[in-house]
Amino acid sequence: MRAKAIRRAAGAAGALALAAGLSGATVAPAQAAPSGCPYPYVCFYDGPYVLGKYKDVTSYYQSVSRSAKATTVYNTRNDDVAYIRLSNGNVACVGPKQRLALNPFNIRVTGIKISWSATC
């Protein structure tokens, strides 16, 4: 039973990594929230600097003008995902308590949609 749960978790992590790779982004394991990003926000960073914070669950993509040049996104929410729309036409999903590293050379953030869904 434990082995089955481990295989299921590994499969989910692999699918998430594959989806992130297709979007030019990588998802890191859960870790402590970076400085300046309290619960229940999804925060955008350029290096150590917070560019923007979003907390509203919406059915549409919110504008992220100040956050467009973000190199990292962190989701502090406990059980909600955040969809990050990218300038290359892809959408990345950041799970609860996850960090997303973006390619700073070719990709810009064009929108964010926070969902009540607990999984990507």
Side-chain angles (χ1 to χ4, degrees), residues 37-44 52-64 67 73-85 91-98 109-120:
C37 192
Y39 172 84
Y41 286 91
V42 176
C43 300
F44 291 85
K53 301 177 189 177
Y54 302 84
K55 69 176 184 175
D56 295 333
V57 174
T58 62
S59 60
Y60 57 89
Y61 282 94
Q62 299 175 66
S63 175
V64 294
S67 302
V73 181
Y74 188 81
N75 180 1
T76 67
R77 301 175 76 92
N78 293 326
D79 55 6
D80 305 320
V81 300
Y83 295 100
I84 310 301
R85 189 177 58 199
V91 174
C93 182
V94 187
K97 303 289 185 189
Q98 294 289 307
V109 175
T110 61
I112 179 173
K113 179 170 58 172
I114 300 172
S115 169
W116 292 117
S117 176
T119 59
C120 291

mmCIF file of all heavy atoms in Angstrom, residues 37-44 52-64 67 73-85 91-98 109-120:
data_model
loop_
_atom_site.group_PDB
_atom_site.id
_atom_site.type_symbol
_atom_site.label_atom_id
_atom_site.label_comp_id
_atom_site.label_asym_id
_atom_site.label_seq_id
_atom_site.Cartn_x
_atom_site.Cartn_y
_atom_site.Cartn_z
ATOM 1 N N CYS A 37 5.866 37.363 1.536
ATOM 2 C CA CYS A 37 4.745 36.671 0.896
ATOM 3 C C CYS A 37 3.925 35.920 1.940
ATOM 4 O O CYS A 37 4.085 34.713 2.125
ATOM 5 C CB CYS A 37 5.254 35.704 -0.175
ATOM 6 S SG CYS A 37 3.916 35.075 -1.230
ATOM 7 N N PRO A 38 3.025 36.611 2.623
ATOM 8 C CA PRO A 38 2.221 35.964 3.661
ATOM 9 C C PRO A 38 1.074 35.148 3.066
ATOM 10 O O PRO A 38 0.667 35.367 1.923
ATOM 11 C CB PRO A 38 1.678 37.143 4.461
ATOM 12 C CG PRO A 38 1.564 38.242 3.453
ATOM 13 C CD PRO A 38 2.732 38.039 2.504
ATOM 14 N N TYR A 39 0.569 34.207 3.834
ATOM 15 C CA TYR A 39 -0.637 33.470 3.468
ATOM 16 C C TYR A 39 -1.779 34.477 3.403
ATOM 17 O O TYR A 39 -1.835 35.378 4.246
ATOM 18 C CB TYR A 39 -0.915 32.394 4.528
ATOM 19 C CG TYR A 39 -2.238 31.708 4.333
ATOM 20 C CD1 TYR A 39 -2.357 30.647 3.465
ATOM 21 C CD2 TYR A 39 -3.366 32.159 5.008
ATOM 22 C CE1 TYR A 39 -3.584 30.030 3.262
ATOM 23 C CE2 TYR A 39 -4.590 31.549 4.813
ATOM 24 C CZ TYR A 39 -4.693 30.490 3.942
ATOM 25 O OH TYR A 39 -5.907 29.892 3.740
ATOM 26 N N PRO A 40 -2.681 34.420 2.488
ATOM 27 C CA PRO A 40 -2.985 33.463 1.426
ATOM 28 C C PRO A 40 -2.603 33.970 0.036
ATOM 29 O O PRO A 40 -3.349 33.813 -0.916
ATOM 30 C CB PRO A 40 -4.488 33.332 1.546
ATOM 31 C CG PRO A 40 -4.941 34.750 1.826
ATOM 32 C CD PRO A 40 -3.836 35.326 2.693
ATOM 33 N N TYR A 41 -1.459 34.573 -0.113
ATOM 34 C CA TYR A 41 -1.098 35.210 -1.376
ATOM 35 C C TYR A 41 -0.333 34.289 -2.332
ATOM 36 O O TYR A 41 0.320 33.336 -1.911
ATOM 37 C CB TYR A 41 -0.238 36.446 -1.113
ATOM 38 C CG TYR A 41 -1.031 37.598 -0.563
ATOM 39 C CD1 TYR A 41 -1.173 37.776 0.805
ATOM 40 C CD2 TYR A 41 -1.653 38.491 -1.414
ATOM 41 C CE1 TYR A 41 -1.907 38.830 1.306
ATOM 42 C CE2 TYR A 41 -2.394 39.551 -0.923
ATOM 43 C CZ TYR A 41 -2.520 39.718 0.443
ATOM 44 O OH TYR A 41 -3.254 40.758 0.937
ATOM 45 N N VAL A 42 -0.402 34.644 -3.607
ATOM 46 C CA VAL A 42 0.482 34.125 -4.634
ATOM 47 C C VAL A 42 1.339 35.334 -5.009
ATOM 48 O O VAL A 42 0.806 36.371 -5.407
ATOM 49 C CB VAL A 42 -0.283 33.597 -5.860
ATOM 50 C CG1 VAL A 42 0.692 33.151 -6.942
ATOM 51 C CG2 VAL A 42 -1.214 32.467 -5.469
ATOM 52 N N CYS A 43 2.660 35.197 -4.822
ATOM 53 C CA CYS A 43 3.552 36.340 -4.989
ATOM 54 C C CYS A 43 4.496 36.155 -6.168
ATOM 55 O O CYS A 43 4.957 35.042 -6.435
ATOM 56 C CB CYS A 43 4.378 36.542 -3.722
ATOM 57 S SG CYS A 43 3.366 36.844 -2.259
ATOM 58 N N PHE A 44 4.795 37.269 -6.811
ATOM 59 C CA PHE A 44 5.715 37.297 -7.941
ATOM 60 C C PHE A 44 6.977 38.028 -7.514
ATOM 61 O O PHE A 44 6.902 39.100 -6.909
ATOM 62 C CB PHE A 44 5.076 38.031 -9.125
ATOM 63 C CG PHE A 44 3.933 37.262 -9.732
ATOM 64 C CD1 PHE A 44 2.655 37.361 -9.209
ATOM 65 C CD2 PHE A 44 4.149 36.431 -10.824
ATOM 66 C CE1 PHE A 44 1.602 36.650 -9.762
ATOM 67 C CE2 PHE A 44 3.103 35.713 -11.383
ATOM 68 C CZ PHE A 44 1.834 35.823 -10.859
ATOM 69 N N GLY A 52 4.538 41.725 -7.010
ATOM 70 C CA GLY A 52 3.093 41.762 -6.859
ATOM 71 C C GLY A 52 2.581 40.603 -6.031
ATOM 72 O O GLY A 52 3.250 39.576 -5.917
ATOM 73 N N LYS A 53 1.406 40.786 -5.418
ATOM 74 C CA LYS A 53 0.749 39.766 -4.591
ATOM 75 C C LYS A 53 -0.713 39.691 -5.005
ATOM 76 O O LYS A 53 -1.357 40.724 -5.184
ATOM 77 C CB LYS A 53 0.804 40.145 -3.110
ATOM 78 C CG LYS A 53 2.162 40.325 -2.535
ATOM 79 C CD LYS A 53 2.043 40.777 -1.084
ATOM 80 C CE LYS A 53 3.379 41.184 -0.525
ATOM 81 N NZ LYS A 53 3.258 41.693 0.839
ATOM 82 N N TYR A 54 -1.212 38.460 -5.133
ATOM 83 C CA TYR A 54 -2.603 38.248 -5.550
ATOM 84 C C TYR A 54 -3.228 37.221 -4.628
ATOM 85 O O TYR A 54 -2.587 36.230 -4.275
ATOM 86 C CB TYR A 54 -2.649 37.766 -7.004
ATOM 87 C CG TYR A 54 -1.994 38.745 -7.936
ATOM 88 C CD1 TYR A 54 -0.616 38.733 -8.125
ATOM 89 C CD2 TYR A 54 -2.737 39.710 -8.591
ATOM 90 C CE1 TYR A 54 0.005 39.650 -8.963
ATOM 91 C CE2 TYR A 54 -2.129 40.635 -9.435
ATOM 92 C CZ TYR A 54 -0.759 40.602 -9.605
ATOM 93 O OH TYR A 54 -0.154 41.512 -10.426
ATOM 94 N N LYS A 55 -4.498 37.434 -4.235
ATOM 95 C CA LYS A 55 -5.153 36.482 -3.349
ATOM 96 C C LYS A 55 -6.578 36.137 -3.757
ATOM 97 O O LYS A 55 -7.171 35.223 -3.207
ATOM 98 C CB LYS A 55 -5.137 36.963 -1.907
ATOM 99 C CG LYS A 55 -6.006 38.165 -1.629
ATOM 100 C CD LYS A 55 -6.004 38.498 -0.159
ATOM 101 C CE LYS A 55 -6.950 39.648 0.114
ATOM 102 N NZ LYS A 55 -7.072 39.920 1.534
ATOM 103 N N ASP A 56 -7.147 36.841 -4.725
ATOM 104 C CA ASP A 56 -8.540 36.623 -5.096
ATOM 105 C C ASP A 56 -8.699 35.429 -6.031
ATOM 106 O O ASP A 56 -8.003 35.321 -7.040
ATOM 107 C CB ASP A 56 -9.113 37.863 -5.776
ATOM 108 C CG ASP A 56 -9.167 39.056 -4.837
ATOM 109 O OD1 ASP A 56 -9.256 38.844 -3.617
ATOM 110 O OD2 ASP A 56 -9.110 40.202 -5.332
ATOM 111 N N VAL A 57 -9.617 34.540 -5.674
ATOM 112 C CA VAL A 57 -9.999 33.433 -6.551
ATOM 113 C C VAL A 57 -10.920 34.012 -7.613
ATOM 114 O O VAL A 57 -11.881 34.701 -7.288
ATOM 115 C CB VAL A 57 -10.699 32.314 -5.762
ATOM 116 C CG1 VAL A 57 -11.227 31.233 -6.692
ATOM 117 C CG2 VAL A 57 -9.753 31.720 -4.724
ATOM 118 N N THR A 58 -10.585 33.768 -8.888
ATOM 119 C CA THR A 58 -11.389 34.311 -9.983
ATOM 120 C C THR A 58 -11.593 33.244 -11.055
ATOM 121 O O THR A 58 -10.886 32.241 -11.091
ATOM 122 C CB THR A 58 -10.694 35.524 -10.644
ATOM 123 O OG1 THR A 58 -9.454 35.091 -11.207
ATOM 124 C CG2 THR A 58 -10.457 36.639 -9.650
ATOM 125 N N SER A 59 -12.536 33.477 -11.931
ATOM 126 C CA SER A 59 -12.778 32.573 -13.061
ATOM 127 C C SER A 59 -12.087 33.098 -14.314
ATOM 128 O O SER A 59 -12.224 32.528 -15.383
ATOM 129 C CB SER A 59 -14.283 32.445 -13.320
ATOM 130 O OG SER A 59 -14.819 33.716 -13.627
ATOM 131 N N TYR A 60 -11.337 34.178 -14.188
ATOM 132 C CA TYR A 60 -10.654 34.818 -15.307
ATOM 133 C C TYR A 60 -9.223 35.163 -14.893
ATOM 134 O O TYR A 60 -8.878 35.145 -13.702
ATOM 135 C CB TYR A 60 -11.394 36.096 -15.722
ATOM 136 C CG TYR A 60 -11.527 37.081 -14.578
ATOM 137 C CD1 TYR A 60 -10.554 38.039 -14.331
ATOM 138 C CD2 TYR A 60 -12.628 37.029 -13.723
ATOM 139 C CE1 TYR A 60 -10.660 38.919 -13.264
ATOM 140 C CE2 TYR A 60 -12.745 37.905 -12.658
ATOM 141 C CZ TYR A 60 -11.757 38.853 -12.438
ATOM 142 O OH TYR A 60 -11.864 39.710 -11.374
ATOM 143 N N TYR A 61 -8.402 35.477 -15.874
ATOM 144 C CA TYR A 61 -7.028 35.880 -15.592
ATOM 145 C C TYR A 61 -6.985 37.344 -15.197
ATOM 146 O O TYR A 61 -7.511 38.207 -15.901
ATOM 147 C CB TYR A 61 -6.121 35.642 -16.806
ATOM 148 C CG TYR A 61 -5.752 34.197 -16.949
ATOM 149 C CD1 TYR A 61 -6.496 33.350 -17.756
ATOM 150 C CD2 TYR A 61 -4.677 33.663 -16.248
ATOM 151 C CE1 TYR A 61 -6.176 32.010 -17.874
ATOM 152 C CE2 TYR A 61 -4.351 32.327 -16.360
ATOM 153 C CZ TYR A 61 -5.098 31.508 -17.175
ATOM 154 O OH TYR A 61 -4.783 30.186 -17.276
ATOM 155 N N GLN A 62 -6.354 37.616 -14.067
ATOM 156 C CA GLN A 62 -6.155 38.982 -13.608
ATOM 157 C C GLN A 62 -4.923 39.565 -14.300
ATOM 158 O O GLN A 62 -3.964 38.851 -14.588
ATOM 159 C CB GLN A 62 -5.910 38.998 -12.101
ATOM 160 C CG GLN A 62 -7.067 38.437 -11.292
ATOM 161 C CD GLN A 62 -6.705 38.364 -9.821
ATOM 162 O OE1 GLN A 62 -6.516 39.400 -9.193
ATOM 163 N NE2 GLN A 62 -6.608 37.151 -9.296
ATOM 164 N N SER A 63 -4.932 40.850 -14.532
ATOM 165 C CA SER A 63 -3.789 41.540 -15.109
ATOM 166 C C SER A 63 -2.637 41.558 -14.108
ATOM 167 O O SER A 63 -2.854 41.676 -12.899
ATOM 168 C CB SER A 63 -4.192 42.974 -15.455
ATOM 169 O OG SER A 63 -3.081 43.686 -15.914
ATOM 170 N N VAL A 64 -1.416 41.445 -14.599
ATOM 171 C CA VAL A 64 -0.240 41.411 -13.727
ATOM 172 C C VAL A 64 0.839 42.378 -14.217
ATOM 173 O O VAL A 64 2.014 42.041 -14.236
ATOM 174 C CB VAL A 64 0.347 39.988 -13.623
ATOM 175 C CG1 VAL A 64 -0.580 39.040 -12.930
ATOM 176 C CG2 VAL A 64 0.726 39.467 -14.997
ATOM 177 N N SER A 67 3.997 42.586 -12.371
ATOM 178 C CA SER A 67 4.594 41.270 -12.173
ATOM 179 C C SER A 67 5.055 40.613 -13.464
ATOM 180 O O SER A 67 5.551 39.491 -13.443
ATOM 181 C CB SER A 67 3.587 40.356 -11.473
ATOM 182 O OG SER A 67 3.188 40.916 -10.245
ATOM 183 N N VAL A 73 7.592 32.620 -8.941
ATOM 184 C CA VAL A 73 6.244 32.749 -8.404
ATOM 185 C C VAL A 73 6.153 31.810 -7.210
ATOM 186 O O VAL A 73 6.631 30.668 -7.283
ATOM 187 C CB VAL A 73 5.180 32.352 -9.447
ATOM 188 C CG1 VAL A 73 3.783 32.509 -8.876
ATOM 189 C CG2 VAL A 73 5.340 33.153 -10.716
ATOM 190 N N TYR A 74 5.553 32.267 -6.098
ATOM 191 C CA TYR A 74 5.362 31.409 -4.934
ATOM 192 C C TYR A 74 3.898 31.439 -4.511
ATOM 193 O O TYR A 74 3.318 32.510 -4.346
ATOM 194 C CB TYR A 74 6.249 31.829 -3.758
ATOM 195 C CG TYR A 74 6.181 30.809 -2.648
ATOM 196 C CD1 TYR A 74 6.938 29.649 -2.716
ATOM 197 C CD2 TYR A 74 5.321 30.967 -1.584
ATOM 198 C CE1 TYR A 74 6.843 28.687 -1.734
ATOM 199 C CE2 TYR A 74 5.224 30.013 -0.599
ATOM 200 C CZ TYR A 74 5.983 28.873 -0.670
ATOM 201 O OH TYR A 74 5.878 27.910 0.295
ATOM 202 N N ASN A 75 3.314 30.254 -4.327
ATOM 203 C CA ASN A 75 1.925 30.111 -3.910
ATOM 204 C C ASN A 75 1.899 29.706 -2.439
ATOM 205 O O ASN A 75 2.251 28.577 -2.095
ATOM 206 C CB ASN A 75 1.240 29.042 -4.778
ATOM 207 C CG ASN A 75 -0.207 28.830 -4.409
ATOM 208 O OD1 ASN A 75 -0.745 29.478 -3.523
ATOM 209 N ND2 ASN A 75 -0.836 27.896 -5.096
ATOM 210 N N THR A 76 1.487 30.612 -1.556
ATOM 211 C CA THR A 76 1.445 30.307 -0.123
ATOM 212 C C THR A 76 0.150 29.622 0.292
ATOM 213 O O THR A 76 0.007 29.208 1.440
ATOM 214 C CB THR A 76 1.571 31.586 0.735
ATOM 215 O OG1 THR A 76 0.407 32.392 0.546
ATOM 216 C CG2 THR A 76 2.820 32.359 0.396
ATOM 217 N N ARG A 77 -0.793 29.498 -0.607
ATOM 218 C CA ARG A 77 -2.113 28.970 -0.264
ATOM 219 C C ARG A 77 -2.013 27.497 0.124
ATOM 220 O O ARG A 77 -1.179 26.764 -0.393
ATOM 221 C CB ARG A 77 -3.074 29.204 -1.409
ATOM 222 C CG ARG A 77 -3.202 30.713 -1.723
ATOM 223 C CD ARG A 77 -4.036 30.971 -2.923
ATOM 224 N NE ARG A 77 -5.441 30.799 -2.630
ATOM 225 C CZ ARG A 77 -6.269 31.754 -2.232
ATOM 226 N NH1 ARG A 77 -5.817 32.976 -2.060
ATOM 227 N NH2 ARG A 77 -7.538 31.504 -2.016
ATOM 228 N N ASN A 78 -2.890 27.064 1.020
ATOM 229 C CA ASN A 78 -2.852 25.690 1.538
ATOM 230 C C ASN A 78 -3.459 24.654 0.602
ATOM 231 O O ASN A 78 -3.027 23.511 0.592
ATOM 232 C CB ASN A 78 -3.569 25.607 2.888
ATOM 233 C CG ASN A 78 -2.836 26.366 3.956
ATOM 234 O OD1 ASN A 78 -1.615 26.424 3.963
ATOM 235 N ND2 ASN A 78 -3.573 26.973 4.861
ATOM 236 N N ASP A 79 -4.486 25.035 -0.145
ATOM 237 C CA ASP A 79 -5.165 24.032 -0.969
ATOM 238 C C ASP A 79 -5.771 24.606 -2.246
ATOM 239 O O ASP A 79 -6.742 24.090 -2.767
ATOM 240 C CB ASP A 79 -6.233 23.301 -0.159
ATOM 241 C CG ASP A 79 -7.232 24.244 0.480
ATOM 242 O OD1 ASP A 79 -7.172 25.462 0.206
ATOM 243 O OD2 ASP A 79 -8.083 23.787 1.240
ATOM 244 N N ASP A 80 -5.173 25.666 -2.762
ATOM 245 C CA ASP A 80 -5.634 26.279 -4.006
ATOM 246 C C ASP A 80 -4.457 26.386 -4.970
ATOM 247 O O ASP A 80 -3.338 26.689 -4.555
ATOM 248 C CB ASP A 80 -6.186 27.687 -3.764
ATOM 249 C CG ASP A 80 -7.274 27.711 -2.712
ATOM 250 O OD1 ASP A 80 -8.105 26.788 -2.704
ATOM 251 O OD2 ASP A 80 -7.284 28.656 -1.909
ATOM 252 N N VAL A 81 -4.719 26.161 -6.242
ATOM 253 C CA VAL A 81 -3.665 26.288 -7.249
ATOM 254 C C VAL A 81 -3.749 27.658 -7.911
ATOM 255 O O VAL A 81 -4.780 28.333 -7.846
ATOM 256 C CB VAL A 81 -3.746 25.180 -8.323
ATOM 257 C CG1 VAL A 81 -3.614 23.803 -7.693
ATOM 258 C CG2 VAL A 81 -5.023 25.281 -9.137
ATOM 259 N N ALA A 82 -2.664 28.038 -8.554
ATOM 260 C CA ALA A 82 -2.630 29.282 -9.313
ATOM 261 C C ALA A 82 -2.164 28.959 -10.725
ATOM 262 O O ALA A 82 -1.150 28.292 -10.912
ATOM 263 C CB ALA A 82 -1.684 30.281 -8.668
ATOM 264 N N TYR A 83 -2.930 29.416 -11.709
ATOM 265 C CA TYR A 83 -2.561 29.255 -13.109
ATOM 266 C C TYR A 83 -1.866 30.539 -13.545
ATOM 267 O O TYR A 83 -2.406 31.630 -13.367
ATOM 268 C CB TYR A 83 -3.788 28.991 -13.972
ATOM 269 C CG TYR A 83 -4.442 27.676 -13.638
ATOM 270 C CD1 TYR A 83 -5.567 27.624 -12.831
ATOM 271 C CD2 TYR A 83 -3.909 26.482 -14.119
ATOM 272 C CE1 TYR A 83 -6.166 26.414 -12.511
ATOM 273 C CE2 TYR A 83 -4.493 25.268 -13.799
ATOM 274 C CZ TYR A 83 -5.621 25.237 -12.999
ATOM 275 O OH TYR A 83 -6.193 24.038 -12.681
ATOM 276 N N ILE A 84 -0.677 30.385 -14.103
ATOM 277 C CA ILE A 84 0.122 31.522 -14.540
ATOM 278 C C ILE A 84 0.162 31.506 -16.066
ATOM 279 O O ILE A 84 0.706 30.580 -16.667
ATOM 280 C CB ILE A 84 1.560 31.430 -13.971
ATOM 281 C CG1 ILE A 84 1.534 31.177 -12.451
ATOM 282 C CG2 ILE A 84 2.355 32.671 -14.334
ATOM 283 C CD1 ILE A 84 0.828 32.221 -11.627
ATOM 284 N N ARG A 85 -0.441 32.520 -16.682
ATOM 285 C CA ARG A 85 -0.432 32.624 -18.139
ATOM 286 C C ARG A 85 0.862 33.311 -18.560
ATOM 287 O O ARG A 85 1.249 34.336 -17.998
ATOM 288 C CB ARG A 85 -1.640 33.430 -18.614
ATOM 289 C CG ARG A 85 -1.826 33.410 -20.122
ATOM 290 C CD ARG A 85 -3.062 34.168 -20.519
ATOM 291 N NE ARG A 85 -2.946 35.555 -20.035
ATOM 292 C CZ ARG A 85 -3.976 36.370 -19.884
ATOM 293 N NH1 ARG A 85 -5.200 35.984 -20.151
ATOM 294 N NH2 ARG A 85 -3.787 37.594 -19.451
ATOM 295 N N VAL A 91 0.436 27.936 -20.232
ATOM 296 C CA VAL A 91 -0.059 28.198 -18.884
ATOM 297 C C VAL A 91 0.640 27.236 -17.944
ATOM 298 O O VAL A 91 0.655 26.023 -18.180
ATOM 299 C CB VAL A 91 -1.594 28.007 -18.799
ATOM 300 C CG1 VAL A 91 -2.069 28.134 -17.359
ATOM 301 C CG2 VAL A 91 -2.303 29.018 -19.689
ATOM 302 N N ALA A 92 1.234 27.769 -16.897
ATOM 303 C CA ALA A 92 1.877 26.943 -15.871
ATOM 304 C C ALA A 92 0.955 26.906 -14.661
ATOM 305 O O ALA A 92 0.220 27.854 -14.404
ATOM 306 C CB ALA A 92 3.230 27.520 -15.496
ATOM 307 N N CYS A 93 1.000 25.820 -13.929
ATOM 308 C CA CYS A 93 0.189 25.684 -12.722
ATOM 309 C C CYS A 93 1.114 25.562 -11.521
ATOM 310 O O CYS A 93 2.044 24.744 -11.521
ATOM 311 C CB CYS A 93 -0.707 24.452 -12.846
ATOM 312 S SG CYS A 93 -1.800 24.244 -11.424
ATOM 313 N N VAL A 94 0.840 26.373 -10.503
ATOM 314 C CA VAL A 94 1.618 26.334 -9.271
ATOM 315 C C VAL A 94 0.724 25.780 -8.182
ATOM 316 O O VAL A 94 -0.286 26.396 -7.818
ATOM 317 C CB VAL A 94 2.119 27.739 -8.865
ATOM 318 C CG1 VAL A 94 3.054 27.649 -7.675
ATOM 319 C CG2 VAL A 94 2.795 28.433 -10.037
ATOM 320 N N GLY A 95 1.070 24.604 -7.674
ATOM 321 C CA GLY A 95 0.272 23.968 -6.632
ATOM 322 C C GLY A 95 0.414 24.672 -5.298
ATOM 323 O O GLY A 95 1.241 25.581 -5.135
ATOM 324 N N PRO A 96 -0.391 24.249 -4.322
ATOM 325 C CA PRO A 96 -0.307 24.830 -2.985
ATOM 326 C C PRO A 96 1.095 24.674 -2.407
ATOM 327 O O PRO A 96 1.722 23.631 -2.546
ATOM 328 C CB PRO A 96 -1.314 24.010 -2.173
ATOM 329 C CG PRO A 96 -2.231 23.413 -3.193
ATOM 330 C CD PRO A 96 -1.409 23.212 -4.421
ATOM 331 N N LYS A 97 1.588 25.717 -1.799
ATOM 332 C CA LYS A 97 2.904 25.735 -1.151
ATOM 333 C C LYS A 97 4.036 25.396 -2.117
ATOM 334 O O LYS A 97 5.032 24.804 -1.731
ATOM 335 C CB LYS A 97 2.937 24.772 0.044
ATOM 336 C CG LYS A 97 1.891 25.032 1.089
ATOM 337 C CD LYS A 97 2.209 26.291 1.837
ATOM 338 C CE LYS A 97 1.220 26.469 2.971
ATOM 339 N NZ LYS A 97 1.347 27.761 3.593
ATOM 340 N N GLN A 98 3.890 25.783 -3.379
ATOM 341 C CA GLN A 98 4.905 25.487 -4.388
ATOM 342 C C GLN A 98 5.514 26.770 -4.934
ATOM 343 O O GLN A 98 4.896 27.836 -4.916
ATOM 344 C CB GLN A 98 4.295 24.711 -5.560
ATOM 345 C CG GLN A 98 3.818 23.333 -5.194
ATOM 346 C CD GLN A 98 4.964 22.382 -4.925
ATOM 347 O OE1 GLN A 98 5.850 22.243 -5.736
ATOM 348 N NE2 GLN A 98 4.924 21.732 -3.785
ATOM 349 N N VAL A 109 5.148 37.043 -17.670
ATOM 350 C CA VAL A 109 3.859 36.663 -17.105
ATOM 351 C C VAL A 109 2.821 37.624 -17.664
ATOM 352 O O VAL A 109 3.032 38.840 -17.666
ATOM 353 C CB VAL A 109 3.894 36.733 -15.566
ATOM 354 C CG1 VAL A 109 2.522 36.456 -14.983
ATOM 355 C CG2 VAL A 109 4.928 35.771 -15.006
ATOM 356 N N THR A 110 1.703 37.078 -18.150
ATOM 357 C CA THR A 110 0.653 37.945 -18.698
ATOM 358 C C THR A 110 -0.641 37.878 -17.888
ATOM 359 O O THR A 110 -1.542 38.663 -18.140
ATOM 360 C CB THR A 110 0.356 37.580 -20.168
ATOM 361 O OG1 THR A 110 -0.104 36.235 -20.234
ATOM 362 C CG2 THR A 110 1.594 37.755 -21.024
ATOM 363 N N GLY A 111 -0.742 36.937 -16.939
ATOM 364 C CA GLY A 111 -1.949 36.873 -16.129
ATOM 365 C C GLY A 111 -1.865 35.805 -15.059
ATOM 366 O O GLY A 111 -1.023 34.905 -15.114
ATOM 367 N N ILE A 112 -2.752 35.900 -14.071
ATOM 368 C CA ILE A 112 -2.849 34.908 -13.003
ATOM 369 C C ILE A 112 -4.322 34.617 -12.747
ATOM 370 O O ILE A 112 -5.162 35.524 -12.762
ATOM 371 C CB ILE A 112 -2.172 35.372 -11.692
ATOM 372 C CG1 ILE A 112 -2.334 34.295 -10.602
ATOM 373 C CG2 ILE A 112 -2.722 36.704 -11.231
ATOM 374 C CD1 ILE A 112 -1.566 34.576 -9.325
ATOM 375 N N LYS A 113 -4.616 33.338 -12.529
ATOM 376 C CA LYS A 113 -5.967 32.917 -12.148
ATOM 377 C C LYS A 113 -5.813 31.942 -10.993
ATOM 378 O O LYS A 113 -5.222 30.884 -11.141
ATOM 379 C CB LYS A 113 -6.670 32.246 -13.324
ATOM 380 C CG LYS A 113 -8.073 31.757 -12.990
ATOM 381 C CD LYS A 113 -8.861 31.300 -14.206
ATOM 382 C CE LYS A 113 -8.204 30.203 -14.968
ATOM 383 N NZ LYS A 113 -9.045 29.631 -16.035
ATOM 384 N N ILE A 114 -6.321 32.321 -9.827
ATOM 385 C CA ILE A 114 -6.275 31.448 -8.652
ATOM 386 C C ILE A 114 -7.566 30.639 -8.632
ATOM 387 O O ILE A 114 -8.653 31.184 -8.790
ATOM 388 C CB ILE A 114 -6.097 32.251 -7.361
ATOM 389 C CG1 ILE A 114 -4.777 33.048 -7.435
ATOM 390 C CG2 ILE A 114 -6.117 31.345 -6.140
ATOM 391 C CD1 ILE A 114 -4.576 34.022 -6.299
ATOM 392 N N SER A 115 -7.432 29.339 -8.427
ATOM 393 C CA SER A 115 -8.559 28.421 -8.484
ATOM 394 C C SER A 115 -8.757 27.727 -7.133
ATOM 395 O O SER A 115 -7.796 27.479 -6.411
ATOM 396 C CB SER A 115 -8.303 27.362 -9.565
ATOM 397 O OG SER A 115 -9.212 26.321 -9.493
ATOM 398 N N TRP A 116 -9.996 27.357 -6.830
ATOM 399 C CA TRP A 116 -10.282 26.597 -5.622
ATOM 400 C C TRP A 116 -9.761 25.176 -5.711
ATOM 401 O O TRP A 116 -9.698 24.469 -4.718
ATOM 402 C CB TRP A 116 -11.793 26.539 -5.360
ATOM 403 C CG TRP A 116 -12.430 27.835 -4.983
ATOM 404 C CD1 TRP A 116 -13.395 28.499 -5.690
ATOM 405 C CD2 TRP A 116 -12.181 28.635 -3.831
ATOM 406 N NE1 TRP A 116 -13.748 29.657 -5.046
ATOM 407 C CE2 TRP A 116 -13.017 29.766 -3.888
ATOM 408 C CE3 TRP A 116 -11.326 28.517 -2.745
ATOM 409 C CZ2 TRP A 116 -13.021 30.758 -2.921
ATOM 410 C CZ3 TRP A 116 -11.325 29.506 -1.773
ATOM 411 C CH2 TRP A 116 -12.167 30.603 -1.863
ATOM 412 N N SER A 117 -9.383 24.723 -6.894
ATOM 413 C CA SER A 117 -8.884 23.369 -7.074
ATOM 414 C C SER A 117 -7.620 23.145 -6.254
ATOM 415 O O SER A 117 -6.757 24.030 -6.173
ATOM 416 C CB SER A 117 -8.580 23.118 -8.557
ATOM 417 O OG SER A 117 -8.004 21.832 -8.725
ATOM 418 N N ALA A 118 -7.477 21.968 -5.657
ATOM 419 C CA ALA A 118 -6.301 21.656 -4.840
ATOM 420 C C ALA A 118 -5.183 21.033 -5.659
ATOM 421 O O ALA A 118 -4.068 20.887 -5.161
ATOM 422 C CB ALA A 118 -6.703 20.724 -3.701
ATOM 423 N N THR A 119 -5.472 20.637 -6.894
ATOM 424 C CA THR A 119 -4.448 20.023 -7.736
ATOM 425 C C THR A 119 -4.452 20.656 -9.116
ATOM 426 O O THR A 119 -5.469 21.149 -9.590
ATOM 427 C CB THR A 119 -4.687 18.500 -7.895
ATOM 428 O OG1 THR A 119 -5.980 18.295 -8.471
ATOM 429 C CG2 THR A 119 -4.601 17.773 -6.562
ATOM 430 N N CYS A 120 -3.295 20.610 -9.744
ATOM 431 C CA CYS A 120 -3.143 21.171 -11.101
ATOM 432 C C CYS A 120 -3.789 20.261 -12.130
ATOM 433 O O CYS A 120 -3.905 19.086 -11.960
ATOM 434 C CB CYS A 120 -1.666 21.347 -11.421
ATOM 435 S SG CYS A 120 -0.897 22.657 -10.444
#
